[in-house]
Amino acid sequence: MGSNREFLSRMSLNQITTEQLNLEEAVKACTKAEVPWISLWRHKIEEIGLQQSKRLLKDAGLQVSSLCRGGMFPASTKELRQKNLDENRRAVEEAAELGTDVLVLVCGSSLEHDIAACREWVNEGIEELVPYAASHGVKLGIEPLHPMYAADRSVVVTLGEALTIAEKYPAEKVGVVVDVFHVWWDSELYKQIARAEGRILGFHVSDWNVPITDTFKARKLMGDGVIDIPRIRKAVEEAGYHGPIEVEIMNQDLWDLSGDEVLATIKDRFVHYV
Amino acid sequence: MGSNREFLSRMSLNQITTEQLNLEEAVKACTKAEVPWISLWRHKIEEIGLQQSKRLLKDAGLQVSSLCRGGMFPASTKELRQKNLDENRRAVEEAAELGTDVLVLVCGSSLEHDIAACREWVNEGIEELVPYAASHGVKLGIEPLHPMYAADRSVVVTLGEALTIAEKYPAEKVGVVVDVFHVWWDSELYKQIARAEGRILGFHVSDWNVPITDTFKARKLMGDGVIDIPRIRKAVEEAGYHGPIEVEIMNQDLWDLSGDEVLATIKDRFVHYV
């Protein structure tokens, strides 16, 4: 039990896992469940404003593991890409205000465009964002998404690709986020995790199983799928990451539970399957 | 129109595109639509038997571009893997009987197992199958599937991985099948297609778009998605492949049409978007 308690001190509630709760409710659920970390989503912050959000977090003594999310760089015109960049600057400011030094980047899609062009726009967008983020003390965490999302969410689909972008910058400015759901299938996974040494800014857990009837809400609870989470965690730790581990699960069954039920469930799964 | 006619001489109906038809109906629809090629699925052959199938194909003068499918090598016990191998030997025999020299391999999943072990079992299965296939004049075409299917259909998820297996054997024995739906997202795609020179045994077309509500029936008609099919076709041709192009679309809307409607639709899309 002692080691469970120690391990749970690394657990972070990624707020999308409790999409049914507002920030105040999520903070209360974390406090009650003694979960010390939370990862915030911007649409939840927007509901109550930045100052109220900060107050809630401070009063609860809850630490913020990351802000989700910046990114979404590609767009068909220079003006739209500029607008996306402005939105990213606001995300950087919010991350700094909220007391986290990690802004997660979901880089954006190829839905209306040629995928090679989109990849260039992602590179350009990050290039422009890095100095602004650095000046705010915020690191950019490039999160590769599963190739299933290449058309609608991210053209960066492997850890190797994320690292190739990140390595253009110092490790204290740009790193990567490893989410088991997105990377488990990759035959290069362990090689790329080793390559990521010193650049891992986050580690996210959930599970993969079939059938998938909704790609966005496809994630399962740890232990309900095929991913060898402990093996990936071990590799991530060997690459030097010992920070918070976010439980990030978009799943309607979880969204139909109370906050207390969600927290109790994911703590249990965290201890047994992460 | 002359060049359209010439291009259509490469079109092959992958039989799953007309899952609503039995082989006799599919052959008739091809004949009526002047489609010269068909790719057969084993469950359709089984419905009427090998001899009747051969007779239908011969009477219609329809050429067989490939047989779908062998593979599905991984299993948790040696006995089950042996059973899978026996099934693959039967698939080889059927391919030879049906007059095609290409057996498509969908290599199998990691649903109940560790993905690295499954990849080894795929390698072992192919190793055992190659001599038997070669002795029947049948080439094995390893088809990488989209990583979305890693848990339930194939642990071989990139063209690079398929080639690494294929290259252990002479090109006249083992090659790869390039399906745009499975490979379009890969940043290494064009590099790997070039690497595949002399080993491409098939080229499959469909399209990708969101939302996806059923991973198996997720494919769209060419032109209804984000894939740059002409660019991929050009690369495949530059790598030396000028054989039949299979239209392979698992899609409920198509399955609700008559065979004639399906053939007319895919011919039109083939000419305009492939």
Side-chain angles (χ1 to χ4, degrees):
Chain A
M1 285 305 288
S3 72
N4 280 357
R5 180 170 287 271
E6 194 182 314
F7 186 43
L8 282 168
S9 74
R10 292 182 64 192
M11 187 175 121
S12 179
L13 172 70
N14 183 296
Q15 210 180 348
I16 202 75
T17 307
T18 51
E19 173 67 356
Q20 68 274 45
L21 307 184
N22 61 30
L23 182 60
E24 185 170 3
E25 294 162 338
V27 167
K28 274 187 189 159
C30 284
T31 303
K32 195 169 163 191
E34 298 181 23
V35 170
W37 294 92
I38 191 167
S39 164
L40 303 170
W41 276 64
R42 294 186 68 207
H43 67 288
K44 295 291 186 183
I45 304 300
E46 202 180 2
E47 285 173 4
I48 56 168
L50 201 53
Q51 296 314 315
Q52 172 68 358
S53 299
K54 281 173 68 174
R55 197 156 35 235
L56 284 169
L57 294 161
K58 194 184 167 198
D59 290 350
L62 203 54
Q63 303 172 84
V64 181
S65 53
S66 71
L67 179 66
C68 297
R69 56 181 167 60
M72 297 293 165
F73 299 104
S76 54
T77 69
K78 195 164 176 118
E79 275 167 341
L80 286 170
R81 293 196 293 282
Q82 191 56 52
K83 211 176 147 190
N84 292 347
L85 195 61
D86 293 342
E87 192 58 34
N88 273 286
R89 291 203 179 93
R90 282 194 284 279
V92 163
E93 293 158 12
E94 282 179 27
E97 278 282 321
L98 291 162
T100 176
D101 63 351
V102 178
L103 177 65
V104 175
L105 298 185
V106 172
C107 289
S109 79
S110 67
L111 195 48
E112 296 173 65
H113 312 284
D114 137 34
I115 193 166
C118 290
R119 286 180 167 134
E120 279 178 41
W121 290 330
V122 167
N123 271 283
E124 288 170 15
I126 291 173
E127 174 75 18
E128 293 207 51
L129 191 59
V130 169
Y132 194 76
S135 73
H136 284 74
V138 172
K139 298 172 185 175
L140 302 177
I142 304 171
E143 182 173 359
L145 260 54
H146 192 285
M148 177 169 80
Y149 301 112
D152 55 339
R153 302 191 66 216
S154 177
V155 293
V156 177
V157 293
T158 66
L159 187 53
E161 290 166 31
L163 283 166
T164 296
I165 303 173
E167 287 167 355
K168 296 196 288 175
Y169 309 97
E172 61 273 19
K173 292 184 180 174
V174 185
V176 296
V177 171
V178 178
D179 182 316
V180 300
F181 181 86
H182 293 309
V183 301
W184 73 275
W185 57 273
D186 187 351
S187 63
E188 296 238 315
L189 178 58
Y190 296 98
K191 183 178 143 192
Q192 296 300 333
I193 290 176
R195 174 184 166 195
E197 184 161 358
R199 285 198 188 260
I200 298 176
L201 300 180
F203 180 50
H204 297 181
V205 294
S206 64
D207 215 332
W208 176 290
N209 214 338
V210 289
I212 284 167
T213 54
D214 179 319
T215 53
F216 185 66
K217 297 191 264 183
R219 298 176 199 215
K220 305 293 191 288
L221 276 165
M222 299 79 79
D224 285 348
V226 300
I227 305 178
D228 190 344
I229 305 172
R231 187 178 169 198
I232 301 177
R233 174 165 75 90
K234 186 164 174 280
V236 163
E237 289 172 354
E238 285 169 359
Y241 184 76
H242 301 280
I245 299 173
E246 295 184 11
V247 178
E248 184 184 38
I249 314 180
M250 298 80 158
N251 179 299
Q252 192 60 54
D253 292 340
L254 285 182
W255 293 350
D256 291 338
L257 298 178
S258 74
D260 292 346
E261 289 168 325
V262 174
L263 271 287
T265 303
I266 63 177
K267 277 177 70 176
D268 177 65
R269 295 303 183 100
F270 191 84
V271 165
H272 290 98
Y273 298 101
V274 175
Chain B
M1 286 305 289
S3 72
N4 280 354
R5 180 170 288 272
E6 195 181 312
F7 186 43
L8 282 168
S9 74
R10 292 182 64 192
M11 188 175 119
S12 179
L13 173 70
N14 184 295
Q15 207 180 348
I16 201 76
T17 307
T18 51
E19 173 67 358
Q20 69 274 45
L21 307 183
N22 61 29
L23 182 60
E24 184 170 6
E25 293 161 338
V27 167
K28 273 187 188 159
C30 284
T31 303
K32 195 170 162 192
E34 298 181 22
V35 169
W37 294 92
I38 191 166
S39 164
L40 303 169
W41 277 63
R42 294 185 69 207
H43 67 288
K44 295 289 187 184
I45 303 300
E46 201 179 4
E47 284 173 5
I48 57 170
L50 201 52
Q51 296 314 314
Q52 172 68 357
S53 299
K54 283 173 67 174
R55 195 156 38 236
L56 283 169
L57 293 161
K58 194 184 168 196
D59 290 350
L62 203 54
Q63 302 172 84
V64 182
S65 54
S66 71
L67 179 65
C68 297
R69 56 181 168 62
M72 297 292 166
F73 299 104
S76 54
T77 69
K78 195 163 176 122
E79 274 168 341
L80 287 170
R81 293 196 294 281
Q82 191 57 51
K83 210 176 148 191
N84 292 347
L85 195 62
D86 292 342
E87 191 59 34
N88 272 285
R89 292 204 178 92
R90 282 193 286 279
V92 163
E93 294 159 11
E94 282 179 27
E97 278 282 323
L98 290 162
T100 177
D101 62 351
V102 178
L103 176 65
V104 174
L105 297 185
V106 171
C107 290
S109 80
S110 67
L111 195 48
E112 295 173 67
H113 313 285
D114 133 41
I115 192 166
C118 291
R119 287 181 166 133
E120 280 179 41
W121 290 331
V122 167
N123 270 282
E124 288 170 14
I126 292 173
E127 174 75 17
E128 293 207 51
L129 190 60
V130 169
Y132 194 77
S135 74
H136 284 73
V138 171
K139 297 172 185 175
L140 301 177
I142 303 171
E143 182 173 358
L145 260 53
H146 192 285
M148 177 169 79
Y149 302 111
D152 55 337
R153 302 190 67 215
S154 177
V155 293
V156 177
V157 292
T158 65
L159 187 52
E161 291 167 28
L163 283 165
T164 296
I165 303 172
E167 287 167 354
K168 296 196 288 175
Y169 308 96
E172 62 273 18
K173 292 184 180 173
V174 185
V176 295
V177 172
V178 178
D179 182 314
V180 300
F181 181 86
H182 293 308
V183 300
W184 72 275
W185 57 272
D186 186 350
S187 63
E188 295 239 315
L189 178 58
Y190 296 98
K191 185 179 142 192
Q192 296 300 334
I193 290 176
R195 175 184 167 195
E197 184 160 1
R199 286 201 188 259
I200 299 176
L201 300 179
F203 180 49
H204 297 181
V205 294
S206 64
D207 215 332
W208 177 289
N209 214 337
V210 290
I212 284 168
T213 54
D214 179 320
T215 53
F216 185 67
K217 296 192 264 183
R219 298 175 200 216
K220 305 293 190 289
L221 277 165
M222 299 79 79
D224 286 348
V226 300
I227 306 177
D228 190 345
I229 305 171
R231 187 176 170 201
I232 302 176
R233 173 165 73 92
K234 187 165 172 281
V236 162
E237 289 172 354
E238 285 170 0
Y241 184 75
H242 301 279
I245 300 173
E246 295 185 10
V247 178
E248 184 183 40
I249 314 180
M250 297 78 159
N251 179 300
Q252 193 60 53
D253 292 340
L254 285 181
W255 292 350
D256 290 338
L257 298 177
S258 73
D260 292 347
E261 288 168 326
V262 174
L263 271 286
T265 302
I266 64 176
K267 278 177 70 177
D268 178 66
R269 296 302 183 100
F270 191 84
V271 166
H272 290 99
Y273 298 102
V274 175

